[in-house]
Amino acid sequence: MTCYSLDGLTPVVHPSAYVHPSAVLIGDVIVGAHCYIGPLASLRGDFGRIVLEEGANLQDTCVMHGFPDSDTVVERNGHIGHGAVLHGCRIGADALVGMNAVVMDNARIAPRCFVSAAAFVKAGFECAEQSLVMGAPASVKRRLSDEELHWKQAGTREYQQLARRCLEQMQVCEPLAEPEANRPRISDSGLRPKNTGQ
């Protein structure tokens, strides 16, 4: 990872967290246990504090930033989809923010909520627990079912497993010129050769 101290504050990354080498962490950033931070994510703690609590994931090209004296927080087991922008907001425990969504300053997404892909959550927005939040500007559409919440939780567990896999196995390499014979496939939770029936 690319990591910069600023004004005497150095980012903190728990040893069990995985931060991709292309991610950038600046200043007042705290990454908790078993977190996953994907390629090209930017966590800019150059004004306010940036916090990912235990088990949270922040996927490719996400941005976390805030105004001075603000906290931008993803609580325990939060799940932030590719390209999302979080600015001075709080994402509750076990909540999901979809791909390319934007959540603005002082917004509070309650625990176990979903913010849909491409939603725009205005500054100061609040919602009840287990809500589906959609639109631009975003509003609460309905209560989430327990089945939907279980689907999200399974996905978050896959990212926690991915953090472990990356810490243990990911390494820089040169690409092959062509695929090898009987090339195995990667499943959601690890390398498993595909059954070819032979």
Side-chain angles (χ1 to χ4, degrees), residues 9-140:
L9 284 171
T10 299
V12 176
V13 176
H14 191 278
S16 66
Y18 174 78
V19 181
H20 190 274
S22 65
V24 178
L25 283 63
I26 300 171
D28 194 3
V29 174
I30 302 170
V31 178
H34 310 296
C35 289
Y36 172 89
I37 297 177
L40 303 173
S42 175
L43 292 81
R44 283 183 49 205
D46 47 16
F47 293 127
R49 177 168 290 171
I50 307 299
V51 178
L52 270 76
E53 294 183 358
E54 180 180 357
N57 68 76
L58 186 75
Q59 298 172 22
D60 316 52
T61 71
C62 288
V63 175
M64 291 182 72
H65 193 237
F67 287 126
D69 301 318
S70 68
D71 288 353
T72 306
V73 179
V74 179
E75 294 180 6
R76 190 171 190 271
N77 296 328
H79 191 104
I80 312 302
H82 314 289
V85 176
L86 308 179
H87 202 276
C89 59
R90 179 173 286 269
I91 308 302
D94 217 14
L96 178 147
V97 175
M99 297 179 213
N100 291 315
V102 176
V103 185
M104 293 299 295
D105 300 275
N106 299 313
R108 297 181 69 88
I109 303 301
R112 298 180 304 285
C113 289
F114 291 5
V115 175
S116 72
F120 178 78
V121 179
K122 291 167 57 171
F125 177 90
E126 293 189 20
C127 59
E129 292 187 11
Q130 212 161 324
S131 295
L132 175 62
V133 177
M134 300 177 70
S139 62
V140 174

